[in-house]
């Protein structure tokens, strides 16, 4: 664990003794448990693990070890702590940190022996076995298996004098959340540190600028000269974990301290210097646990490497992800919708020659049990990291957690030059820029032209409606609609790219010109303009809610035809009825088809006492303008100020495009859907389908064959019914975020602290409401934390009601993130398995700046 080396070098480490790995293995052999433990390591089995844990707890210590403990423990003090460390816990490529047991407040004698057995038994806990299974694909573990070091269980223990901590915490010698080696982070709480590492309390968070890596003697000098506090986030703490007569217990924090910072600058910098010394000794970034006693003296109680990987994963195995695309298909893709959209997307994103040469030859898109996936293998090669700086955020979003962590904790890493070269070669040889409106300075003008075209042509797709007896006309209109969709994607893909590009350019320039800590100021400035169509939709919905309240309308059932509220609802649906829960799924239900969803949104608006969204949007817009003036006042050169102003305006323009383009695309796809439903009704008349909406279970070429008379009615109906049954099963499943080849990348999160990507800053506390779809959203109550797989434009009217969001899929500039920032809602995305790990009613704290979710119940 490195504590002995730190003590030898003069760092403050509580006195203790180490029980080595060999003692644990001798104990297992002494009690006849060695073979069972080895077998469990090779073939994890929960039932055998429970039996082995019980056997360990009931077995006696070897006499020599028991005698040694009785002889040495009294000299350490009356109160001890027994900490566990797996044989590979301090390895650089994996960490069992927090999985093994720690016993606090142990008394020398029989209590110490029981604590040792309890820690050893934790080597066979279910969560340890699950972590081991998840880690089996890692190069480090495969190497250990080959070398024979993972052939049997191993755990070392340290028995230390317990520090009665007034303050406890953890210091990371680099910023592992962003990948910056120019920053370090500190977390602190009142009382014993188990409250923090166990996720029971939300700690204070401190961000400190650190010196560059230097040899140990120079590092100590630099730490005194160049450490600088950058940010502090103080969290209220009402209770603390303290040592009592019979163990540990929770007590109320004194009222005068509940809102106070845990650390002043002097103690903060002192702890950072100790962490830098531990890093210099360890030779790599460290995760250091510490405690400050009642006299104000800091003690280091643990130091381990921040888990990393020696090299990026650029294996030949194909990586698939639901990130990005899963936001647009929050429900399973239908055969018809996917067969129409997949070739459209592949025309723009597929690089077949590069894929065949370097990326395993798999297609760009794939449908797995109804869930669309993007081939993300290329992002392994596009990733890079300049020395000490964060890697590109949009690339990290497309990698699984282990691979992302490997990049974040590396000092530097080069991109896959050959893949970059192959992409460029294929781009130039095929003149692929012709497929896009690629100019970042004029892309928005191309959208203005396309928007006018859509406003003219989309109504023609459905008015007048095709005759039910003329499926050919409906099919021709649907084809014309998909051709318009091709023109849309031609503009939209590059609009998305430029929104991300300019957003990151502005953040990067401000970080260089204004220094660390400018990210939040950038977030205030880079807001979507207030006149976007999402706000317009919300405003119209709010007006409709006010009208419903004035009329005393019953919103639990559809209004009677001809009633005053029906007259108010009709124009709203005529204008916004094309909105859906999954906008890229052509056959997704629309508000116009299921107006009861609008009624649910109206109920939420009235229950929450929602204010006019346009008033709020205007206030936030004014805040953004004031923030921009403050920002410009800090930029010290006229040319730089002009550059910042221009780039901020350009970024805002592209954020506006993200919102408005999706609105118009929804309208276009709804027109396409309505034409296919005309064909569906025609097919029902001929016995080829049971219901008109079952047309969604045919693929596009099958629909064309049916209309042309090349597909018989009976096999068509049987195929649609089979796919309908399969679709019903798919609705009940939750697809994994990542696949390697065909195997899911298992989520290893758990416990009381979940990590993801913070996309909208702020801290919110409230009860969880897990929502699978908009039907389930009717159970949402004001002040709750919305937990879902993903959200699309149709979900955003719920935002005024809730206190925060936790999503399994998302990105910094996803639709939900943009709108959440407009409503100042804390939001964390890419939280693995959130809808399974969190349950209705659990109390959580959402930290949208740091990407953390703390579970309290």
């Amino acid at each position: 664990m490195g504590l002995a080396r730190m003590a030898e070098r003069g760092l403050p480490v509580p006195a203790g003794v180490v029980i080595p790995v060999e003692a644990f293995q001798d104990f297992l052999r002494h009690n006849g448990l060695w073979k069972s433990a080895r077998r469990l390591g090779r073939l994890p089995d929960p039932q055998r693990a429970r039996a082995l844990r019980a056997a360990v707890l009931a077995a006696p210590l070897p006499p020599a070890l028991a005698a040694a403990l009785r002889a040495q423990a009294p000299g350490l003090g009356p109160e001890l702590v027994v900490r566990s460390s797996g044989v590979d816990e301090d390895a650089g490529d994996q960490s069992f940190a927090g999985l093994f047991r720690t016993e606090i407040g142990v008394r020398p004698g029989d209590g110490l022996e029981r604590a040792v057995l309890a820690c050893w038994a934790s080597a066979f806990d279910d969560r340890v076995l699950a972590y081991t299974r998840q880690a089996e694909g890692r190069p480090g573990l495969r190497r250990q298996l080959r070398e024979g070091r993972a052939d049997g269980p191993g755990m070392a223990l340290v028995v230390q004098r317990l520090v009665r901590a007034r303050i406890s915490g953890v210091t990371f010698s680099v910023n592992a959340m962003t990948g910056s080696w120019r920053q370090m982070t500190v977390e602190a709480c009142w009382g014993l540190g188990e409250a923090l590492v166990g996720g029971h309390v939300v700690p204070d968070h401190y961000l400190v600028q650190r010196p560059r890596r230097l040899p140990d003697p120079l590092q100590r000098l630099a730490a005194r000269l160049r450490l600088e506090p950058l940010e502090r986030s103080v969290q209220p703490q009402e209770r603390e974990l303290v040592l009592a007569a019979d163990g540990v217990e929770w007590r109320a924090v004194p009222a005068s301290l509940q809102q106070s910072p845990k650390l002043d600058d002097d103690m903060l910098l002192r702890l950072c210097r100790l962490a830098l010394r531990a890093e210099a000794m360890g030779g790599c970034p460290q995760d250091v646990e510490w405690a400050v006693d009642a006299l104000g003296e800091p003690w280091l109680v643990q130091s381990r490497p921040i888990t990393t990987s020696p090299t990026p994963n650029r294996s030949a195995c194909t990586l698939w992800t639901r990130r990005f695309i899963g936001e647009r298909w929050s429900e399973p893709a239908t055969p018809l919708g996917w067969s129409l959209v997949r070739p459209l997307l592949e025309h723009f994103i597929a690089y077949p020659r590069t894929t065949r040469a370097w990326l395993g030859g798999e297609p760009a898109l794939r449908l797995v049990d109804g869930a669309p996936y993007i081939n993300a293998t290329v992002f392994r090669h596009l990733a890079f990291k300049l020395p000490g700086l964060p890697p590109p955020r949009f690339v990290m979003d497309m990698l699984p957690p282990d691979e992302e962590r490997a990049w974040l904790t590396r000092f530097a890493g080069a991109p896959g030059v050959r893949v970059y070269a192959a992409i460029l070669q294929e781009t130039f040889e095929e003149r692929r820029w012709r497929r896009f409106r690629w100019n970042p300075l004029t892309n928005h003008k191309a959208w203005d032209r396309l928007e006018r075209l859509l406003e003219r042509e989309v109504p023609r797709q459905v008015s007048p409606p095709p005759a039910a007896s003329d499926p050919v006309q409906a099919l021709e209109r649907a084809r014309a609609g998909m051709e318009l969709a091709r023109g849309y994607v031609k503009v939209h893909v590059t609009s998305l790219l430029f929104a991300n590009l300019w957003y990151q350019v502005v953040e990067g320039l401000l970080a260089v010109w204004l220094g660390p800590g400018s990210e939040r100021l950038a977030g205030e400035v880079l807001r979507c303009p207030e006149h976007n169509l999402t706000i317009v939709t919300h405003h119209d919905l709010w007006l409709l809610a006010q009208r419903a309240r004035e009329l005393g309308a019953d919103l639990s059932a559809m209004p009677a035809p001809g009633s005053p509220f029906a007259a108010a609802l009709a124009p709203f649906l005529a204008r916004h009825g094309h909105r859906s829960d999954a906008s890229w799924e052509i056959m997704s239900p629309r508000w116009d088809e299921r107006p009861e969803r609008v009624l649910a949104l109206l109920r939420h608006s009235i229950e929450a006492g929602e204010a006019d969204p346009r008033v709020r949007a205007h206030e936030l817009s004014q805040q953004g303008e004031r923030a921009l003036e403050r920002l410009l006042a800090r930029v010290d050169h006229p040319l730089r100020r002009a550059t910042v102003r221009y780039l901020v305006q350009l970024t805002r323009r592209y954020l506006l495009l993200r919102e408005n383009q999706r609105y118009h695309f929804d309208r276009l796809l709804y027109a396409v859907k309505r034409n296919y439903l005309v064909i569906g009704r025609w097919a029902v008349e001929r016995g080829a389908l049971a219901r008109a909406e079952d047309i969604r279970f045919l693929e596009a070429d099958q629909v064309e064959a049916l209309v042309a008379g090349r597909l018989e009615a009976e096999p068509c109906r049987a195929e649609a019914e089979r796919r309908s049954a399969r679709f019903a099963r798919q609705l009940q499943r939750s697809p994994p975020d990542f696949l390697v080849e065909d195997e899911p990348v298992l989520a290893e999160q758990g416990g009381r602290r979940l990590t993801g990507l913070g996309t909208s800053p702020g801290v919110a506390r409230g009860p969880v409401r897990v929502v699978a779809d908009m039907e389930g959203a009717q159970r949402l109550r004001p002040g709750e934390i919305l937990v879902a797989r993903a959200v699309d434009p149709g979900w955003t009217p719920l935002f005024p009601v809730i206190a925060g969001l936790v999503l399994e899929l998302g990105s910094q500039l996803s639709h939900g993130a943009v709108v959440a920032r407009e409503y100042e809602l804390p939001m964390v995305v890419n939280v693995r398995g959130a809808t399974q790990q969190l349950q209705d009613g659990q109390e959580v704290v959402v930290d949208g700046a740091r990407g953390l979710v703390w579970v309290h119940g």
Side-chain angles (χ1 to χ4, degrees):
M1 288 180 282
L3 294 176
R5 293 198 307 274
M6 290 194 294
E8 290 173 358
R9 299 284 291 274
L11 273 71
V13 175
V17 296
V18 173
I19 303 175
V21 174
E22 292 77 12
F24 179 40
Q25 295 175 342
D26 289 345
F27 161 80
L28 293 173
R29 293 188 179 95
H30 179 78
N31 291 285
L33 302 174
W34 175 248
K35 289 184 178 180
S36 297
R38 287 186 62 189
R39 187 183 308 114
L40 186 66
R42 291 192 296 268
L43 297 171
D45 177 83
Q47 187 172 353
R48 291 180 179 176
R50 285 193 293 272
L52 188 55
R53 288 197 298 271
V56 169
L57 291 171
L61 292 180
L65 176 60
L69 286 177
R70 291 182 181 276
Q72 297 185 43
L76 301 178
E79 299 164 343
L80 307 174
V81 59
V82 182
R83 302 182 188 278
S84 313
S85 177
V87 67
D88 295 309
E89 181 172 338
D90 294 339
D93 56 0
Q94 65 185 90
S95 172
F96 287 81
L99 294 181
F100 299 125
R101 191 176 182 89
T102 295
E103 292 286 327
I104 301 174
V106 177
R107 307 289 181 181
D110 293 340
L112 177 57
E113 294 185 20
R114 287 192 296 271
V116 168
L117 294 173
C119 291
W120 278 345
S122 70
F124 310 111
D125 279 352
D126 291 341
R127 58 181 180 169
V128 176
L129 299 180
Y131 182 91
T132 303
R133 285 195 300 270
Q134 193 277 335
E136 285 176 352
R138 298 180 185 174
L141 190 56
R142 289 199 301 267
R143 183 180 64 252
Q144 293 163 23
L145 289 169
R146 286 197 304 269
E147 296 174 1
R149 289 188 284 114
D151 193 41
M155 177 186 287
L157 301 178
V158 61
V159 182
Q160 289 179 287
R161 174 179 64 84
L162 176 65
V163 177
R164 281 186 170 260
R166 183 172 62 90
I167 310 168
S168 300
V170 180
T171 301
F172 297 91
S173 65
V174 299
N175 189 341
M177 296 293 290
T178 66
S180 174
W181 285 46
R182 296 303 310 279
Q183 299 170 353
M184 55 196 312
T185 60
V186 180
E187 295 179 347
C189 70
W190 299 117
L192 295 173
E194 284 302 301
L196 188 156
V197 299
H200 297 279
V201 298
V202 181
D204 284 5
H205 178 260
Y206 304 85
L207 183 67
V208 178
Q209 184 169 342
R210 55 160 289 171
R212 297 183 186 275
R213 291 184 66 191
L214 297 168
D216 191 11
L218 296 178
Q219 189 78 50
R220 296 179 67 174
L221 177 61
R224 293 190 173 277
L225 299 176
R226 301 187 57 189
L227 282 174
E228 178 185 353
L230 299 173
E231 293 181 9
R232 66 179 67 232
S233 172
V234 177
Q235 299 295 328
Q237 184 178 339
E238 298 177 352
R239 60 177 191 159
E240 61 181 333
L241 196 62
V242 299
L243 189 65
D246 55 350
V248 295
E249 67 179 23
W250 289 100
R251 290 182 184 170
V253 174
S256 60
L257 297 179
Q258 289 183 6
Q259 306 288 333
S260 300
K262 282 62 172 187
L263 302 173
D264 57 27
D265 281 355
D266 287 343
M267 181 56 71
L268 174 65
L269 298 183
R270 189 174 177 185
L271 292 167
C272 288
R273 294 185 188 109
L274 291 172
L276 289 174
R277 291 181 63 187
E279 178 190 90
M281 290 175 50
C284 62
Q286 297 287 303
D287 164 3
V288 180
E289 296 179 27
W290 49 264
V292 177
D293 64 21
L295 299 177
E297 290 299 317
W299 297 89
L300 305 186
V301 297
Q302 178 69 284
S303 182
R304 62 173 69 88
I306 296 176
T307 308
T308 184
S309 175
T311 56
N313 184 352
R314 286 176 175 158
S315 67
C317 296
T318 307
L319 174 67
W320 303 94
T321 182
R322 288 256 300 148
R323 298 254 176 103
F324 181 78
I325 200 169
E327 301 169 54
R328 289 149 178 82
W329 274 275
S330 55
E331 58 189 36
T334 64
L336 178 56
W338 183 244
S339 65
L340 290 169
V341 173
R342 175 177 177 169
L344 184 67
L345 293 178
E346 286 187 331
H347 174 73
F348 294 100
I349 69 174
Y351 278 76
R353 281 194 294 163
T354 299
T355 300
R356 285 194 300 270
W358 300 107
L359 306 176
E362 296 286 350
L365 297 168
R366 179 186 183 192
L367 197 65
V368 180
D369 203 19
Y373 283 84
I374 292 178
N375 188 337
T377 311
V378 69
F379 291 97
R380 288 171 163 170
H381 301 266
L382 298 181
F384 64 90
K385 194 170 190 290
L386 298 177
L389 297 179
R393 181 69 259 170
F394 73 94
V395 176
M396 294 298 102
D397 287 346
M398 304 299 282
L399 298 179
D402 283 349
E403 296 184 30
E404 177 188 7
R405 187 164 55 245
W407 277 102
L408 292 177
T409 52
R410 289 175 60 81
F411 180 66
V417 177
R418 292 181 297 183
V419 174
Y420 267 97
I423 291 173
L424 289 174
Q425 181 180 357
E426 194 167 352
T427 297
F428 279 97
E429 288 181 355
E430 298 182 2
R431 300 187 177 185
R432 280 179 167 252
W433 55 85
R434 295 179 175 179
R435 302 187 186 188
F436 305 96
R437 294 291 180 249
W438 58 270
N439 191 321
L441 302 179
T442 61
N443 173 270
H444 60 91
K445 296 179 181 179
W447 167 251
D448 292 341
R449 293 191 294 271
L450 179 62
E451 184 179 21
R452 290 192 293 271
L453 176 64
L454 292 174
E455 288 175 345
R456 183 177 68 250
E457 293 298 325
V458 169
R460 295 179 182 176
Q461 300 292 309
V462 293
S463 183
S469 59
D470 189 4
V472 174
Q473 183 189 18
L475 185 58
E476 288 175 352
R477 287 186 175 184
R479 289 172 180 159
M482 292 310 298
E483 195 56 38
L484 288 172
R486 180 181 292 266
Y488 168 86
V489 177
K490 192 172 188 176
V491 176
H492 180 65
V493 167
T494 40
S495 294
L496 293 179
L497 174 64
F498 297 147
N500 281 278
L501 172 67
W502 293 125
Y503 198 99
Q504 294 194 20
V505 166
V506 173
E507 280 191 327
L509 286 179
L510 294 182
V512 172
W513 291 345
L514 302 183
S518 61
E519 295 86 353
R520 293 192 179 183
L521 186 58
E524 292 182 46
V525 168
L526 297 176
R527 294 186 183 276
C528 183
E530 60 182 290
H531 52 279
N532 69 79
L533 290 174
T534 299
I535 295 297
V536 171
T537 304
H538 291 187
H539 174 67
D540 289 352
L541 188 70
W542 178 81
L543 289 176
L544 186 60
Q546 307 314 302
R547 181 62 175 153
R549 186 165 53 183
E550 292 171 5
L551 295 171
D554 179 10
L555 297 179
S556 63
M558 290 301 299
S563 65
F565 180 63
L569 178 62
F572 176 86
L573 293 177
R575 184 177 187 186
H576 304 298
H578 57 274
R579 305 245 74 168
S580 71
D581 305 349
S583 60
W584 279 68
E585 171 48 57
I586 294 176
M587 306 306 291
S588 176
R590 312 282 163 163
W591 288 357
D592 184 44
E593 298 170 303
R594 295 189 180 177
E596 64 273 11
R597 295 189 176 183
V598 176
L599 301 186
L601 294 174
L602 296 175
R603 291 198 301 271
H604 285 302
S605 177
I606 293 173
E607 289 174 9
E610 182 187 358
D612 186 343
R614 283 201 308 193
V615 173
R616 181 183 181 86
H618 181 69
E619 292 173 352
L620 290 174
S621 178
Q622 295 303 306
Q623 289 180 20
E625 291 305 317
R626 292 191 292 270
L628 177 58
E629 294 307 315
R630 294 198 306 272
L631 186 155
L632 294 173
R634 293 176 56 187
V635 179
D636 58 3
H637 192 281
L639 181 59
R640 289 182 175 180
R641 283 196 295 273
T643 300
V644 169
R645 186 182 292 276
Y646 173 75
L647 291 179
V648 166
Q649 297 300 335
L650 190 61
T651 304
R652 287 174 174 175
R653 181 176 295 157
Y654 279 111
L655 292 176
L656 176 65
L657 291 192
R658 288 180 60 92
E659 296 301 301
N660 291 356
Q661 287 174 356
R662 293 286 292 279
Y663 183 90
H664 285 284
F665 193 50
D666 265 6
R667 288 185 64 216
L668 173 59
L669 294 188
Y670 185 35
V672 172
K673 176 182 180 178
R674 290 166 71 180
N675 281 300
Y676 275 107
L677 288 177
V678 169
I679 302 173
R681 288 190 288 273
W682 169 83
V684 169
E685 293 176 359
R686 278 146 186 79
L689 293 174
R691 301 171 303 167
E693 56 266 30
D694 284 353
I695 192 76
R696 59 185 172 155
F697 299 121
L698 302 180
E699 294 182 357
D701 59 349
Q702 292 175 314
V703 174
E704 296 199 6
L706 181 64
V707 171
R710 300 192 305 272
L711 182 60
E712 297 294 330
E714 188 57 36
C716 175
R717 181 167 180 153
E719 179 71 9
E721 289 176 351
R722 283 195 298 271
R723 290 177 176 171
S724 175
R726 185 172 62 193
F727 186 80
R729 293 193 297 271
Q730 291 168 348
L731 285 171
Q732 307 304 317
R733 296 172 184 167
S734 181
D737 295 351
F738 292 95
L739 298 171
V740 175
E741 303 293 355
D742 296 322
E743 295 299 319
V745 177
L746 300 177
E748 60 180 82
Q749 291 220 67
R752 297 179 176 269
R753 173 171 167 158
L754 309 180
T755 61
L757 171 65
T759 57
S760 181
V763 177
R765 182 165 185 159
V768 162
R769 178 69 65 183
V770 180
V771 176
D773 50 37
M774 283 296 290
E775 300 290 343
Q778 298 182 25
R779 299 181 295 115
L780 198 64
R781 294 292 173 263
E784 291 183 327
I785 305 296
L786 172 61
V787 179
R789 287 284 296 164
V791 295
D792 215 39
W795 292 69
T796 50
L798 297 169
F799 285 14
V801 179
I802 59 179
L805 296 99
V806 179
L807 305 179
E808 293 183 353
L809 298 170
S811 64
Q812 187 69 41
L813 290 185
S814 64
H815 179 92
V818 172
V819 179
R821 288 195 289 273
E822 299 307 305
Y823 281 93
E824 297 184 311
L825 287 174
M827 180 177 184
V828 181
V829 303
N830 297 344
V831 179
R832 303 184 300 283
T835 56
Q836 282 77 45
Q837 297 189 65
L838 298 175
Q839 300 175 4
D840 286 352
Q842 279 184 315
E843 195 82 7
V844 299
V845 172
V846 180
D847 187 335
R850 298 166 55 209
L852 296 175
V853 180
W854 304 85
V855 186
H856 293 286

